Amino acid sequence: MRLAGAILTLVIGAPVLLGAALTLATGFGWQPGLGRVDLGWEGFTEALAAPGILTSLRLTLVTGLGAAMLSLVASIPLARWLVTRQSASRWLTPLLAVPHAALAIGLAFLIAPSGWAARLISPWATGWDLPPQIVTLGDPWGLSLILGLMLKEVPFLTLMTLVAAAQRPVAEQMAAGRALGYAPGRVWARIVWPQLYPALRLPVLIVLAFSLSVVDMALILGPSNPPTLAVRILRLYGAPDPAQAVPASALAVILLAVMGASAALWMVGERAVARLGKALIRKGHRGVSRRNWSGAGLIGAGGALAIGSLGALVLWSLASFWRFPDALPADLTLKRWASADWAGPALTSLTLALVSTALALILAMLWLESEDRSGKRLPLGALIVLPLLLPQIGFLQGLTTGFLWLGLPPGPVAVTWAELLFVFPYVMIALAGPWRALDRAHLASAASLGAGPTRRLLRIKLPMLLGPICAAAAIGVAVSVAQYLAVLLPGAGRVQALATEAVALASGADRRLAAILALMQAALPWVGFALALAVPAWWHRNRRGLRGGVA
């Protein structure tokens, strides 16, 4: 067990702490490679004196807090609508599998002034023969960025709510509330959902941290001058002058402080909302029973935006010529697919995903098997949440410097290790529940027949847990393919993956190539989830008894 803990700490925890420490030291001016070892506040002074810094701070807070808050609010009626419709909730998974950058590119192609939405209503409804002079992308308040973040985070929080609801007697509580005369919506919002929120707190904080520090979606949908803090930091890191790493790291520290203050503010808001909810319950207003139009409306609006975004990607990837205001391209062809260089980035992304996911699975199994054999839980929960709660830009650049110190140059190995930091938490979360819920009677029977721990693992546990293992692997592939900064910074431009290439082309003139790369980025996770369903079904086709191993 100690060996497993040491390996996990060394592979997952140490790089994150090393990267954060080096970023902090650089922020205070420590650059031994340039002969600068004296610490000072000059980096923070320069960062805070930069033009537009207050606007960047405002944008970060508005988009981060706004996206997290609106996503949580939207998930409440949506979860109520889906909690009794299990078949409909399955459609959340394909949307969750779409990487942020791919969905952002599709949304940009949909809502841009010359996008598909404007083409569908022009000129017959608008009279537009040319793209209108309306700012729908990169607006100064970051509304398009908030919309893009909501498209990804609302399904995630809704799914987390459904998982939490499955562990409580929701139907009985809804029936009791209705028997007391309360409308269904009020029973859900004031009685059931508050009981589920403690299980949602960590996912909400993860969403908040991601929204405050997101880079790829902000590059595509957010304002560019001035941009959000995370984008500003990335630009400074990419400057030709290495001294700019000092104000960049100082801004990364400031961003971390902003995230901490936002999380504290969120906690205070939780208490205020809880008091307000109790006061409303004491008033006893039971409300009016009506259909859940808000949930149905959110399903319709979110589904239309998601389908429209993916549809715009498909049309642009096949378009030969598509002038405004035509609703559809003049001709559909595969010529751009044949001539575009998408196979190389796709193969790179696939290789990185397979290697990082395989390593994450091995580490997760090492963790869980060590717990089984020792009979105790490993006290390493922080390893799971630390990479998800810290801003990526806040430690990945420091981690890249740390890799150089260790003799690991920028390239595929460094990128794989960086991706592993984000793939492992999700794989661990997906696998831990089914692993710990495995019916121990099967293992006891095997032990009574003389099977040792290793044989029980290989012949009993792994075959019975093949389905959850494949599901965890599919999630790992989806997380890996979606990584942008983990490829860009440790790769130093030497690793061309789908995420980096698609984001680089998103604002360019070649929409067709950007659409092709975005579609390929979305296709890899879909293939992974399809295989996660097909492989266990095929493997267990003659072993139905192995499917019921979870107690």
Side-chain angles (χ1 to χ4, degrees):
M1 185 174 181
R2 291 181 178 177
L3 178 62
I7 293 174
L8 288 162
T9 303
L10 183 65
V11 176
I12 303 296
V16 177
L17 296 177
L18 175 65
L22 288 176
T23 300
L24 181 64
T26 306
F28 282 98
W30 192 67
Q31 288 183 302
L34 299 179
R36 301 170 181 171
V37 294
D38 295 331
L39 302 183
W41 294 93
E42 290 79 6
F44 290 89
T45 305
E46 183 179 350
L48 293 175
I53 188 66
L54 292 180
T55 305
S56 294
L57 179 60
R58 172 182 61 80
L59 270 173
T60 302
L61 289 172
V62 169
T63 55
L65 287 170
M69 192 179 304
L70 292 175
S71 298
L72 182 62
V73 170
S75 70
I76 297 173
L78 197 56
R80 179 198 154 203
W81 194 82
L82 290 171
V83 74
T84 56
R85 297 173 174 84
Q86 294 296 324
S87 58
S89 62
R90 295 173 185 168
W91 290 98
L92 293 175
T93 303
L95 186 56
L96 282 172
V98 179
H100 289 80
L103 193 61
I105 294 173
L107 182 62
F109 288 176
L110 179 67
I111 66 173
S114 61
W116 195 23
R119 293 166 188 258
L120 287 174
I121 58 174
S122 300
W124 59 273
T126 62
W128 295 335
D129 293 319
L130 294 172
Q133 300 294 322
I134 301 174
V135 180
T136 54
L137 286 178
D139 58 280
W141 283 96
L143 298 180
S144 54
L145 176 57
I146 292 176
L147 181 62
L149 286 167
M150 287 183 65
L151 270 182
K152 283 294 295 181
E153 307 308 351
V154 171
F156 173 66
L157 292 177
T158 302
L159 188 62
M160 293 296 102
T161 306
L162 295 178
V163 171
Q167 302 170 9
R168 289 190 169 273
V170 173
E172 290 80 357
Q173 292 183 2
M174 291 291 291
R178 297 201 63 179
L180 293 173
Y182 285 91
R186 297 210 172 187
V187 179
W188 175 262
R190 298 182 183 179
I191 305 297
V192 177
W193 189 83
Q195 300 178 62
L196 306 179
Y197 185 76
L200 298 177
R201 182 174 287 113
L202 180 58
V204 167
L205 291 179
I206 291 174
V207 168
L208 178 62
F210 180 82
S211 301
L212 288 167
S213 60
V214 65
V215 172
D216 50 359
M217 293 191 87
L219 284 170
I220 299 169
L221 298 173
S224 58
N225 192 25
T228 59
L229 280 181
V231 174
R232 185 185 281 265
I233 294 169
L234 180 63
R235 289 180 181 175
L236 287 174
Y237 276 136
D241 183 4
Q244 290 300 307
V246 176
S249 299
L251 272 183
V253 176
I254 293 173
L255 177 59
L256 180 60
V258 168
M259 292 171 65
S262 300
L265 180 64
W266 189 276
M267 297 289 189
V268 173
E270 283 181 3
R271 296 184 180 182
V273 172
R275 289 183 181 179
L276 177 63
K278 289 178 181 177
L280 292 174
I281 291 174
R282 290 194 189 99
K283 288 185 178 180
H285 295 305
R286 284 163 169 75
V288 180
S289 181
R290 63 185 68 174
R291 295 180 66 87
N292 185 11
W293 292 112
S294 55
L298 286 168
I299 281 282
L305 280 174
I307 294 173
S309 301
L310 297 175
L313 289 178
V314 173
L315 289 176
W316 269 112
S317 71
L318 299 174
S320 61
F321 181 73
W322 194 0
R323 73 174 186 86
F324 191 90
D326 292 346
L328 295 172
D331 190 19
L332 299 179
T333 177
L334 291 173
K335 289 182 179 178
R336 197 69 183 99
W337 280 86
S339 61
D341 182 18
W342 55 266
L347 183 61
T348 301
S349 292
L350 180 62
T351 305
L352 292 171
L354 292 177
V355 175
S356 60
T357 301
L359 293 173
L361 280 173
I362 292 172
L363 291 175
M365 292 180 192
L366 176 66
W367 180 325
L368 295 168
E369 182 64 12
S370 298
E371 288 184 348
D372 284 354
R373 296 191 184 188
S374 64
K376 296 186 294 185
R377 294 283 183 92
L378 275 174
L380 299 174
L383 289 182
I384 297 177
V385 298
L386 192 61
L388 305 182
L389 292 179
L390 288 177
Q392 293 188 14
I393 194 73
F395 69 89
L396 279 177
Q397 182 61 34
L399 178 62
T400 304
T401 305
F403 282 158
L404 289 173
W405 283 7
L406 297 173
L408 182 60
V413 177
V415 172
T416 302
W417 198 344
E419 286 196 353
L420 179 62
L421 303 180
F422 304 101
V423 173
F424 171 73
Y426 288 99
V427 169
M428 183 68 191
I429 292 171
L431 190 56
W435 189 288
R436 290 167 178 159
L438 185 68
D439 190 353
R440 303 294 158 178
H442 298 284
L443 302 176
S445 299
S448 67
L449 294 173
T454 304
R455 194 176 183 188
R456 292 200 298 271
L457 171 66
L458 298 177
R459 303 298 296 272
I460 304 295
K461 282 186 185 176
L462 296 186
M464 295 182 74
L465 291 169
L466 181 61
I469 290 172
C470 289
I475 293 172
V477 169
V479 173
S480 171
V481 171
Q483 294 304 310
Y484 174 70
L485 285 179
V487 177
L488 184 69
L489 296 179
R494 302 178 186 179
V495 179
Q496 295 180 333
L498 287 171
T500 53
E501 297 303 299
V503 173
L505 290 167
S507 58
D510 195 344
R511 288 188 175 186
R512 296 166 184 81
L513 183 54
I516 289 172
L517 292 174
L519 279 177
M520 286 304 302
Q521 195 191 12
L524 290 182
W526 287 339
V527 172
F529 279 102
L531 289 175
L533 294 175
V535 170
W538 176 81
W539 188 263
H540 292 152
R541 64 191 185 284
N542 297 323
R543 302 176 178 86
R544 292 187 177 181
L546 290 179
R547 301 178 186 176
V550 178

